[in-house]
Amino acid sequence: MYWRIVPALLYLLPTLAYSQTGLAKAYQVHFVDDDNQPIQYVVIAHPTTAVNKSASSQKNAVIDQINMQFSPMVIAVEQGQSVNFPNSDNIRHHVYSFSKAKRFETKLYANKPEAPVVFNQPGLVVLGCNIHDSMVGYIFVSPWQDFGVSNIHGVANINAPEPHTQPS
């Protein structure tokens, strides 16, 4: 599948009529700009399958801090999932967010904060560093089970139910 879009952070797959079998199919979606260049960090979600609210069984996601940047700059996690914020720089950082979906701060630290941060509310969380204003990152907390983030080649992988086809 190829879609021509302007740079965006979130793209929702259209809600179509889907089969009742519940069988999911793997899709590879390519995001390119008007110059046919790949777009990295597009979050794509399929809003038909709700996340099991006890995502505690999910492995913790990670956003590292490398060369005074969040790495990766954009991730998507399931609602209820935890995120670790290790610090691989040789300086201390103070990660925070004032976003409605999750307000938190990890006071000035080196190496690894005491505990991961749990993201219980769906929405977009904008990250910053109180010490380094140029550090910006994003976490999309998904209320849906099927989502992905495009890589440097503009490719995102997502599982979604197969569309229901009407007999002709």
Side-chain angles (χ1 to χ4, degrees), residues 8 20 26-27 33 39-40 51 57 61 75 82 86 94 103 114 123 126 141 151 153 159:
Q20 298 300 316
Y27 292 94
D33 64 17
I39 305 172
Q40 185 178 17
V51 164
S57 64
I75 66 169
S82 297
H94 181 142
R103 296 176 191 270
E114 290 180 21
V126 180
V141 184
N151 61 22
H153 305 290
N159 292 318

Side-chain angles (χ1 to χ4, degrees), residues 121-135:
Q121 298 299 315
L124 181 63
V125 177
V126 180
L127 304 172
C129 175
N130 230 1
I131 308 304
H132 308 100
D133 290 338
S134 63
M135 288 179 64

Side-chain angles (χ1 to χ4, degrees), residues 54-136:
S54 63
S56 60
S57 64
Q58 288 292 325
K59 182 177 154 186
N60 289 354
V62 176
I63 294 184
D64 203 343
Q65 293 147 88
I66 302 171
N67 297 322
M68 294 191 304
Q69 295 180 12
F70 291 109
S71 181
M73 186 175 74
V74 177
I75 66 169
V77 299
E78 287 186 3
Q79 184 176 346
Q81 194 170 353
S82 297
V83 177
N84 286 319
F85 294 94
N87 179 358
S88 294
D89 283 336
N90 61 358
I91 55 177
R92 299 191 312 163
H93 292 291
H94 181 142
V95 179
Y96 72 92
S97 175
F98 295 126
S99 301
K100 183 177 178 182
K102 183 66 175 185
R103 296 176 191 270
F104 74 96
E105 65 179 316
T106 57
K107 300 283 185 183
L108 208 56
Y109 70 96
N111 300 323
K112 185 177 173 186
E114 290 180 21
V117 178
V118 180
F119 291 82
N120 287 322
Q121 298 299 315
L124 181 63
V125 177
V126 180
L127 304 172
C129 175
N130 230 1
I131 308 304
H132 308 100
D133 290 338
S134 63
M135 288 179 64
V136 178

